[in-house]
Amino acid sequence: MPTQLSWKAPEATVGELAERAGVATSTLRFYEREGLIHSRRTSGNQRRYSRDTLRRVAFIRASQRLGLPLSAIRGALAVLPEGRTPTREDWAAVSECWREDLNQRIALMEQLRDHLTDCIGCGCLSLTSCALANPQDRLGDQGPGARRLSQPCGPDPAHGDASGCRGGGATGRAGAAGIAHAGAAEAAPDAAPGTRRARAATARAAEGS
């Protein structure tokens, strides 16, 4: 069923924008209260949104699906100009702001996809690979958490940190590099015939000691 917003209309009411964007009107009002989108008021005090607000809403929704906090989304949208429709170059500037963070999040998702069945350094010591990759929970000496999973940029709710990468910007990059190296080290032995059996035998011996 087609939406009510005409492609010729330069502005949209809150209902038209909500319908075309696929969100509730309450969501648009929330975004506006948070400073993510803006509207003008008519003489009758009704909201009117410029048509490019649709792109902003789509950007916000996609960012939220990736788990990005509203504060980070607000910061990225602040790069866009006020008073005119953002150009391709304006959105390219926003994209550049996200590049580092998104690359780290992509790396983390790939790690979860490819290595979650192996030891991630959480200290559980319940998998056979734990005895090899994290004997006697040595990674616990480096600090809490799953040490072999990189930390994406963004706030840490446990510490109220709302600035940058947890532990510093270099930490995320170093963590990602460390995971990639460790993942390759675990994957490589499996490529050789008989190595998996040797690893399993070593793990059983370690568990029995």
Side-chain angles (χ1 to χ4, degrees):
M1 183 177 179
T3 57
Q4 297 179 5
L5 181 62
S6 170
W7 63 271
K8 298 179 181 179
E11 293 185 321
T13 66
V14 63
E16 290 171 339
L17 185 71
E19 181 191 34
R20 183 63 185 85
V23 301
T25 56
S26 58
T27 298
L28 295 180
R29 295 188 180 96
F30 170 72
Y31 288 163
E32 191 164 357
R33 287 196 304 272
E34 291 294 318
L36 302 174
I37 61 176
H38 306 280
S39 66
R40 72 172 183 87
R41 295 296 181 123
T42 67
S43 57
N45 201 34
Q46 294 181 329
R47 287 181 172 88
R48 290 293 183 272
Y49 297 91
S50 60
R51 194 177 185 91
D52 64 274
T53 306
L54 280 168
R55 187 179 184 89
R56 292 175 184 253
V57 173
F59 173 79
I60 296 167
R61 299 286 285 177
S63 300
Q64 287 181 309
R65 290 193 198 98
L66 292 175
L68 296 168
L70 289 181
S71 58
I73 298 172
R74 186 187 303 108
L77 290 175
V79 176
L80 297 176
E82 294 289 343
R84 67 172 174 83
T85 299
T87 63
R88 181 184 180 91
E89 290 72 24
D90 295 326
W91 282 105
V94 175
S95 176
E96 190 62 31
C97 290
W98 282 131
R99 188 174 304 277
E100 178 73 10
D101 192 25
L102 291 178
N103 284 341
Q104 292 181 17
R105 289 174 184 274
I106 290 170
L108 177 57
M109 287 188 286
E110 289 177 343
Q111 292 154 22
L112 286 171
R113 180 195 66 196
D114 298 337
H115 301 297
L116 197 57
T117 55
D118 292 321
C119 176
I120 59 175
C122 64
C124 73
L125 304 181
S126 61
L127 301 179
T128 54
S129 59
C130 294
L132 295 175
N134 185 24
Q136 300 176 4
D137 194 23
R138 292 177 183 173
L139 291 176
D141 295 335
Q142 301 176 13
R147 306 302 298 175
R148 298 188 61 236
L149 285 181
S150 63
Q151 299 286 347
C153 289
D156 187 346
H159 299 88
D161 178 16
S163 59
C165 297
R166 300 174 198 171
T171 303
R173 291 187 291 275
I179 290 297
H181 177 74
E186 283 200 4
D190 286 341
T195 308
R196 186 185 297 275
R197 291 192 295 273
R199 289 174 61 196
T202 303
R204 287 193 296 271
E207 289 174 352
S209 61

